Amino acid sequence: MAFNQEIRKSVEDSVLCWLATSSIDNTPNVSPKKIFKCYGSDKIIVANIASPKTVSNIKVNPGVCLSCIDILVQKGYQLKGKARIVDNTDSAFMQMEALLSEMTGGKFPFSTITEITIQSAKPILAPRYILYPETTEAEQIVSAKKSYGLS
């Protein structure tokens, strides 16, 4: 599945995502990310705010998986790709930093950015959509709000 407009909208609508990395000896690490944005035609950039393990893992193993979901609709995408760490010596850093800094309001400084080139994408669906195909998004939102005590 290509990194199309539907996936981009889903990513942009997500308020939190999870970035999975792996060390050189294949020890997994998953870290929540709040400051991220689609960038260019096939990339997502993520501010490295408090992510020393994520950064060190990417430096030795660039394969990553990013999962973004709407927690109420319970749909989203699993995105796999190659990551690289971008610092202030990179010519693209300032442009990326400006986009991500809009989201932080300057409250969360970062000195590096993870740039992920998306290579594959697949949908994430709550089991209810599969087990009960007649489920609407509106019904799922009501159910999720009740489950999370938001009603």
Side-chain angles (χ1 to χ4, degrees), residues 73-138:
V73 176
Q74 297 192 352
K75 289 182 179 180
Y77 288 91
Q78 179 190 78
L79 308 166
K80 292 183 181 178
K82 296 291 181 188
R84 72 180 185 105
I85 303 302
V86 178
D87 65 24
N88 62 7
T89 63
D90 190 294
S91 61
F93 181 82
M94 287 179 56
Q95 181 183 18
M96 292 177 183
E97 179 186 39
L99 291 171
L100 294 171
S101 291
E102 288 175 12
M103 299 176 74
T104 69
K107 294 180 182 175
F108 300 99
F110 52 91
S111 58
T112 63
I113 296 166
T114 298
E115 176 191 69
I116 304 163
T117 301
I118 305 303
Q119 297 174 323
S120 68
K122 77 174 193 177
I124 297 172
L125 293 173
R128 183 175 179 163
Y129 290 112
I130 298 163
L131 297 172
Y132 305 98
E134 69 280 2
T135 301
T136 66
E137 287 185 359

Side-chain angles (χ1 to χ4, degrees), residues 8-124:
R8 294 174 67 83
K9 181 176 178 351
S10 178
V11 169
E12 296 289 346
D13 288 347
S14 297
V15 295
L16 189 65
C17 66
W18 292 265
L19 180 59
T21 62
S22 183
S23 67
I24 198 164
D25 66 351
N26 293 319
T27 302
N29 182 67
V30 176
S31 180
K33 304 297 178 193
K34 183 160 176 62
I35 308 301
F36 57 94
K37 193 155 190 63
C38 294
Y39 185 77
S41 64
D42 64 346
K43 296 178 180 7
I44 295 175
I45 54 175
V46 181
N48 293 324
I49 296 171
S51 308
K53 192 62 173 167
T54 296
V55 171
S56 64
N57 280 352
I58 289 169
K59 286 180 178 178
V60 298
N61 186 350
V64 299
C65 180
L66 186 74
S67 292
C68 301
I69 63 163
D70 179 313
I71 62 164
L72 296 179
V73 176
Q74 297 192 352
K75 289 182 179 180
Y77 288 91
Q78 179 190 78
L79 308 166
K80 292 183 181 178
K82 296 291 181 188
R84 72 180 185 105
I85 303 302
V86 178
D87 65 24
N88 62 7
T89 63
D90 190 294
S91 61
F93 181 82
M94 287 179 56
Q95 181 183 18
M96 292 177 183
E97 179 186 39
L99 291 171
L100 294 171
S101 291
E102 288 175 12
M103 299 176 74
T104 69
K107 294 180 182 175
F108 300 99
F110 52 91
S111 58
T112 63
I113 296 166
T114 298
E115 176 191 69
I116 304 163
T117 301
I118 305 303
Q119 297 174 323
S120 68
K122 77 174 193 177
I124 297 172

